[in-house]
Amino acid sequence: MSIALRLHYWLIGPFLIIGLLTASALHAQTTLSMSSDYGAGTLMGERVKEFSQKVVELSQDKLNVEIRSDIRSVSHLQATRGGVIDIAATLSGALADEIPFFGLSSLPAIAYDLDEAHRLYQTAKPRYRELLKEENQRLLFALPWPPSGLWSKDPIEDGAGLTNQPVRTYDRNTQRVFLNLGAAPQIMTWEELTPLLEGGTIKAALTSAMGGVSAELYRYMPNFTTLNYAMPLNIIHMNADSFNALDKQQQTALLNAAQAVEDTGWASTSAVLAKAHATLQAEGAQLISPPPTELRQDLETASQHVIESWNQKVNYQDRALLTKYLESRPER
């Protein structure tokens, strides 16, 4: 190599290295793991995907969210607290197993429409944040499932129609209500439910119209009764250390993505519900709305013990929060 060429490399070499390192830094991407129980075809699965895409977009490809489904909701709080996963999308009832206050949104007969469910969420939001902070986590956002209703093989006219019937429920609260009605409720995920549907051993399932359409429950249970039983939340929470490890731009992108998905998620739920009702009818299912008066009254009676039980598990501050919300509801 000539002296002139060696001198050339000596002069530009450091600048070349700096340029390569700078380019590498500009294209560096942080990947966060996010666990969700719900498949891509479900409402919450779609929202999780939307959130992950929004994070990439707003961070200008500097932050990525990798979705996984190998950890169940019942383990999300512990897994996120321990840093096994960075973010989790968890049915609020699953969080209630360790933190009873999170059972609030799935309490029966306290929010009969989406406006009431949203006011309840806004009332409880500071408390959700506080409780998650105690678990080294932070609340990113929360979305409502459309109102829970009853899919059934045969039309259900009253509580007696559920006696000894195997019913799929989604959390402890719903299980207790249906136990009080004399049914044989079981808490189960969609993965657990599918083979039982095929075998005909489950006669009814409590879930939303949208959830039932996604799972094609109408193939096995052609009746959907719009109970407006409850509108449980899907809580998206994150390990605080994982959040703090992000740079400011990444944190801002993550929080803005969370706010955007929360806003559009709440706003679109009514349209999603109407579309689900139209779909189930197009598939030959019977939409029973409003529900039979005796069934609604029997459910309300069976629900009182669940609300009283929740009150006993939480502290005075939490009980006062629910009372404040109930007193703010318009008279029926």
Side-chain angles (χ1 to χ4, degrees):
M1 183 181 292
S2 68
I3 294 175
L5 190 57
R6 286 200 300 270
L7 181 61
H8 174 75
Y9 279 116
W10 180 78
L11 289 173
I12 71 167
F15 296 101
L16 180 62
I17 293 171
I18 291 171
L20 289 171
L21 290 174
T22 302
S24 177
L26 287 173
H27 290 88
Q29 184 185 69
T30 300
T31 297
L32 300 171
S33 61
M34 180 175 184
S35 180
S36 173
D37 265 355
Y38 302 101
T42 66
L43 175 63
M44 289 306 167
E46 291 174 358
R47 294 290 181 252
V48 165
K49 182 179 179 181
E50 180 186 349
F51 171 65
S52 67
Q53 293 172 337
K54 201 73 175 175
V55 167
V56 173
E57 174 193 338
L58 295 182
S59 69
Q60 298 179 335
D61 207 31
K62 293 182 180 178
L63 189 59
N64 182 50
V65 177
E66 188 176 81
I67 302 168
R68 55 189 287 182
S69 58
D70 56 324
I71 302 176
R72 301 271 71 84
S73 277
V74 292
S75 301
H76 277 175
L77 187 68
Q78 182 179 356
T80 309
R81 181 174 57 218
V84 176
I85 49 179
D86 299 304
I87 306 173
T90 312
L91 184 67
S92 54
L95 295 173
D97 287 344
E98 287 193 49
I99 310 174
F101 182 78
F102 278 95
L104 176 66
S105 68
S106 59
L107 289 178
I110 65 170
Y112 282 98
D113 58 42
L114 286 166
D115 287 340
E116 289 188 357
H118 191 253
R119 282 196 297 106
L120 179 60
Y121 169 53
Q122 292 299 327
T123 301
K125 195 172 185 178
R127 185 61 173 148
Y128 289 145
R129 285 175 171 157
E130 181 182 351
L131 291 167
L132 285 171
K133 185 177 181 180
E134 293 175 4
E135 302 291 330
N136 192 39
Q137 296 174 58
R138 63 181 296 144
L139 174 69
L140 292 181
F141 63 101
L143 294 173
W145 278 103
S148 302
L150 187 67
W151 291 85
S152 58
K153 186 174 181 180
D154 301 306
I156 305 296
E157 298 294 331
D158 53 27
L162 291 164
T163 302
N164 297 323
Q165 293 297 308
V167 180
R168 179 265 179 181
T169 58
Y170 51 74
D171 64 9
R172 300 290 182 193
N173 284 344
T174 56
Q175 184 183 42
R176 290 190 186 99
V177 169
F178 279 80
L179 279 171
N180 291 343
L181 287 170
Q186 302 175 51
I187 301 172
M188 61 183 71
T189 64
W190 290 122
E191 290 79 8
E192 295 167 325
L193 176 61
T194 301
L196 298 179
L197 290 172
E198 296 284 354
T201 56
I202 291 290
K203 303 300 182 183
L206 189 73
T207 188
S208 66
M210 179 64 186
V213 166
S214 297
E216 298 184 346
L217 289 185
Y218 48 77
R219 293 171 52 199
Y220 312 95
M221 302 173 183
N223 299 277
F224 180 73
T225 305
T226 59
L227 298 177
N228 283 3
Y229 166 89
M231 279 162 272
L233 296 176
N234 215 40
I235 304 284
I236 290 74
H237 50 109
M238 181 176 187
N239 179 281
D241 295 331
S242 296
F243 180 84
N244 294 333
L246 301 176
D247 63 36
K248 292 298 182 182
Q249 181 183 357
Q250 291 171 327
Q251 290 179 352
T252 299
L254 187 74
L255 295 177
N256 286 346
Q259 188 63 59
V261 175
E262 180 170 279
D263 290 345
T264 57
W266 281 93
S268 65
T269 301
S270 293
V272 167
L273 184 60
K275 182 179 179 181
H277 285 174
T279 300
L280 69 87
Q281 288 178 299
E283 294 292 345
Q286 181 180 1
L287 178 64
I288 304 171
S289 182
T293 300
E294 289 188 19
L295 176 60
R296 180 179 55 79
Q297 291 174 342
D298 288 345
L299 274 169
E300 289 182 355
T301 300
S303 299
Q304 292 309 305
H305 175 72
V306 172
I307 297 173
E308 292 169 6
S309 177
W310 182 87
N311 275 310
Q312 292 172 3
K313 291 177 181 177
V314 300
N315 61 26
Y316 172 79
Q317 174 188 2
D318 297 337
R319 291 193 294 273
L321 185 149
L322 176 57
T323 299
K324 175 184 176 182
Y325 160 76
L326 291 174
E327 290 176 347
S328 72
R329 291 192 310 177
E331 292 186 11
R332 300 191 181 282

